[in-house]
């Protein structure tokens, strides 16, 4: 049965720090004893790692035992203990590095916690409180050093542990992470202070939102908070208490509507330092309120996402109106740069994802995602296209990115969308299709390149890209489609400049046949068989 880190460390301490092998070097296979004796008097060259300067060796040790904050704990100290057993020099180096002992978890053996608290000296501590059944005496020892807690991770700790931690004040705490990934409905109400706290990440955890520690933050991330999510009033007050926020991310946290009958009492929240904003799937109508009540700097990179589960397209556009204003500004100043319209497969059930991605030098990147019923997706896609051209034509038209749907009927509806986009984006020159089955790809060519007597929806289309999957079958169908004459010995080239294939696999034979159809065939990360 393998020994734990505490047992390894205990054995090591009993053996003493001076660990050198008591055994003479043994002859290698095929060597005589005399050979070893003759060479044993010669000076031995040091091992290359012993010639590394101490500062670089310390950097190596630090990287080996350092892990992301959310995984601090036993693995770090298991590596640390094994490294100390290698030789006397390694032991001395590691014992002279207080920072590598400053990552402490209640999952560790209590004797190891004692040693870590001693060896870390005055270094700031990274504390990991995870799981139930934790040792009360070990927690008491950690609380005695609470003036050194700089990073704290709580990952589903028992109620007694949470109660003891909640009443503390944290003089130098800078980062707090609360996780309850197994949905045990953990709840904590901080009553102390944390004047230096700058980053808070809360995932599936319930917290008292009016707590004073949630103020003067620089980064706030809320994820997967169900019944314990704050209402819109409380959330706006929380933001007002952190006017220097640089990062705000709210994801799958359904903020509840304001209990007030009218939102007119709200004042705009100024976040002049904000550099990144993500508001995704917070509940219908909530995104609109947040965008209206937060003064978002023009330089902020924004990600917005909304899930719309009914077919009231007019109401959906009303929800998108505040985002549309930012979208229109971006479209105006980004003329001459490339943007992307994405129509994607469903994320949950039959829903379809529609996205806009755009950026400009003067503005932060904007990504808008709408997950809607299939019957609405074409309207949403056209909505984004219409906004792009309201401020005038862009000499660099957007890329149209179509991600494979789950059924052929939905894909046929997407192809019909091209005729609607002709009025908004007639200069489209680049379309990307991702994860389409071969039958759908056949429909792509029939729609984009109809018989000669029919007009093409995008006459300036020059680049067509297919991403992912196997390309063998659609390449065969395309070659067969383009054949002409009774014997099919000649082919009609595609009216394209570039056919691009990304990922997936294709045979060398099909590659040669595709080269005949276009001036430029580009293969990017494609396995050619």
């Amino acid at each position: 049965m393998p020994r734990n880190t505490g047992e390894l460390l205990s054995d090591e301490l009993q053996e003493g720090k001076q660990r050198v092998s008591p055994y003479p070097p043994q002859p290698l296979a095929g060597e005589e004893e005399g050979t070893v004796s003759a060479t044993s008097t010669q000076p031995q060259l040091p091992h290359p790692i012993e010639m590394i300067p101490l500062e670089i060796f310390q950097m190596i040790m630090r990287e080996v035992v350092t892990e992301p904050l959310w995984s601090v704990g036993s693995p770090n100290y298991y590596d640390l203990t094994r490294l100390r057993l290698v030789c006397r020099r390694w032991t001395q180096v590691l014992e002279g590095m207080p920072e590598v002992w400053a990552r402490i978890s209640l999952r560790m053996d209590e004797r190891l916690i004692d040693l870590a608290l001693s060896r870390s000296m005055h270094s700031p501590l990274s504390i990991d409180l995870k799981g139930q059944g934790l040792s009360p005496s070990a927690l008491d020892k950690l609380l005695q050093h609470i003036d050194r807690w700089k990073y704290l991770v709580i990952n589903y700790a028992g109620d007694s542990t949470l109660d003891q931690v909640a009443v503390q004040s944290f003089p130098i705490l800078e980062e707090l992470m609360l996780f309850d990934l197994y949905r045990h409905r953990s709840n904590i109400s901080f009553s102390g202070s944390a004047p230096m706290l700058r980053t808070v990440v809360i995932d599936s955890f319930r917290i008292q939102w009016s707590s004073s520690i949630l103020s003067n933050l620089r980064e706030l991330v809320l994820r997967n908070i169900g019944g314990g999510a704050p209402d819109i009033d409380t959330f706006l007050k929380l933001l007002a208490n952190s006017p220097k926020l640089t990062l705000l991310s709210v994801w799958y946290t359904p903020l509840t509507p304001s209990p007030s009958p009218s939102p007119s009492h709200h004042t705009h929240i100024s976040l002049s330092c904000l550099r990144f904003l993500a508001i995704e799937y917070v509940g219908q109508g909530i995104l609109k309120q947040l965008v209206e009540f937060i003064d978002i700097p023009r330089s902020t990179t924004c990600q917005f996402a909304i899930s719309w589960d009914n077919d009231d397209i007019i109401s959906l556009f009303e929800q998108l109106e505040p985002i549309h204003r930012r979208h229109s500004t971006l479209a105006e100043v980004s003329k001459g740069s490339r943007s992307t319209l994405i129509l994607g497969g469903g994320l949950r059930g039959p829903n379809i994802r529609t996205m806009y991605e755009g950026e400009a030098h003067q503005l932060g990147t904007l990504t808008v995602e709408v997950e809607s019923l299939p019957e609405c997706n074409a309207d949403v896609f056209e909505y984004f296209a219409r906004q792009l051209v309201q401020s005038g034509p862009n000499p660099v038209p957007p890329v149209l990115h179509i991600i494979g749907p789950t059924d052929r009927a939905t894909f046929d509806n997407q192809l019909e969308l091209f005729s609607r986009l002709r009025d908004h984006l007639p200069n489209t020159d680049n379309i990307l299709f991702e994860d389409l089955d071969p039958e759908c790809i056949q429909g792509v060519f029939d729609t984009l390149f109809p018989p000669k007597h029919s007009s093409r929806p995008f006459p300036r289309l020059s680049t067509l890209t297919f991403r992912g999957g196997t390309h063998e079958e659609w390449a065969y169908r395309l070659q067969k489609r383009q054949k002409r004459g009774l014997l099919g010995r000649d082919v009609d080239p595609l009216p394209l400049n570039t056919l691009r294939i990304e990922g997936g696999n294709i045979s060398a034979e099909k590659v040669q046949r595709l080269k005949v159809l276009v001036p430029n065939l580009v293969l990017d990360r494609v396995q050619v068989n």
Side-chain angles (χ1 to χ4, degrees), residues 172-184:
I172 69 168
L173 187 68
E174 293 183 3
E175 188 166 332
L176 172 65
M177 294 185 174
L178 305 175
F179 296 98
D180 188 2
L181 303 183
Y182 299 103
R183 305 295 193 272
H184 293 289

Side-chain angles (χ1 to χ4, degrees), residues 396-465:
V396 182
V399 175
L400 303 185
H401 182 176
I402 310 298
I403 302 176
T406 55
D407 60 275
R408 178 59 192 267
T410 300
F411 182 72
D412 289 342
N413 290 336
Q414 293 178 1
L415 291 180
E416 293 177 7
L417 173 65
F418 286 154
S419 61
R420 299 167 60 176
L421 294 179
R422 187 182 335 194
D423 296 334
H424 306 299
L425 305 171
N427 296 325
T428 295
D429 60 1
N430 194 329
I431 302 180
L432 186 159
F433 292 94
E434 182 175 352
D435 292 334
L436 296 186
D437 65 52
E439 187 177 354
C440 290
I441 295 179
Q442 178 72 38
V444 167
F445 289 109
D446 291 343
T447 301
L448 296 180
F449 311 113
K452 293 182 179 180
H453 61 274
S454 303
S455 61
R456 294 164 53 194
F458 302 108
R460 298 191 180 184
L461 181 64
S462 63
T463 300
L464 189 61
T465 302

Side-chain angles (χ1 to χ4, degrees), residues 69-70 72 99 102-104 117 120-129 142-154 165 169-177 193-201 213 217:
L69 179 59
W70 54 86
V72 354
E99 67 273 20
R103 305 170 71 84
I104 303 178
L117 288 172
S120 60
M121 301 179 68
H122 301 293
S123 296
L125 299 177
S126 299
I127 304 297
D128 175 29
L129 308 179
L142 291 180
L143 291 176
Q144 293 174 19
H145 295 263
I146 201 165
D147 59 329
R148 290 203 283 146
W149 290 23
K150 189 173 184 179
Y151 306 102
L152 173 60
V153 176
I154 300 179
V165 172
S169 290
F170 309 89
I172 69 168
L173 187 68
E174 293 183 3
E175 188 166 332
L176 172 65
M177 294 185 174
S193 62
M196 303 300 293
L197 187 61
R198 294 297 178 261
T199 299
V200 173
V201 178
I213 72 168
L217 302 177

Side-chain angles (χ1 to χ4, degrees), residues 8 37 42 57 76 88-89 134 174-175 231 261 284 287 289 322 333 344 348 364 372 375 403 454-455 457 498 508:
L8 285 172
S37 300
Q42 299 176 2
F57 184 73
N76 167 63
R88 178 175 56 195
R89 180 172 184 259
L134 303 176
E174 293 183 3
E175 188 166 332
D231 61 56
Q284 293 188 6
L287 174 61
Q289 292 188 53
V333 301
R348 298 196 308 266
S372 61
E375 52 266 32
I403 302 176
S454 303
S455 61
T498 301

